[in-house]
Amino acid sequence: MTNYDTENIFAKILRDEIPCTKVYEDEHALAFEDINPQAPRHILVIPKGPYVSLDDFTAAASTDEIAGFMRAVGETARRLNLANPGYRILANIGQDGMQEVPHLHVHILGGRPLGPMLKSDP
Ligand code: 5GP
């Protein structure tokens, strides 16, 4: 496991030390509203295990954890009625990905046409 910081904000949300607006939970994952939404629907899905990023997760997590997490992402979107007309998932990884919180999270964005994937150069 890569240098996981047990005091990161999503670890605290998983331990119920910080509140969140939960939209889905199962044995593998928790999904909750992003505090600073970038679209009409902006949900974060996090695995329950201590994984820093998608890189860490795909290298170290079990097949069950990976399958369970991906199912939870899809299930969350279905429960929010986003599958049709569609939505976007996004995961920022590391420095160039501009990941802010060092616990793997997949963003689910939707609720309107989202436009091109990358608008412009930084
Ligand atoms: P990143 O840039 O790491 O991919 O995304 C981190 C996301 O976490 C951001 O979209 C930010 O708004 C969200 N976020 C940061 N702190 C909190 C928090 O305390 N609660 C919730 N619900 N979202 C948070």
Side-chain angles (χ1 to χ4, degrees), residues 43-80:
I43 310 301
L44 301 171
V45 190
I46 66 175
K48 291 204 165 167
Y51 298 103
V52 172
S53 71
L54 192 78
D55 178 57
D56 183 21
F57 188 61
T58 53
S62 70
T63 302
D64 266 11
E65 286 176 295
I66 293 170
F69 178 67
M70 286 312 296
R71 278 198 195 282
V73 171
E75 182 62 22
T76 299
R78 279 189 292 279
R79 286 181 184 222
L80 297 171

Side-chain angles (χ1 to χ4, degrees), residues 9-10 13 18-21 32-38 42 44 90-92 97-102 105 107:
I9 201 129
F10 294 167
I13 284 176
I18 289 179
C20 70
T21 305
F32 52 94
E33 305 271 2
D34 194 293
I35 206 168
N36 182 24
Q38 304 298 311
H42 186 171
L44 301 171
L90 181 154
N92 294 318
M98 300 189 73
Q99 179 178 1
E100 285 171 24
V101 181
H105 47 287
H107 299 253

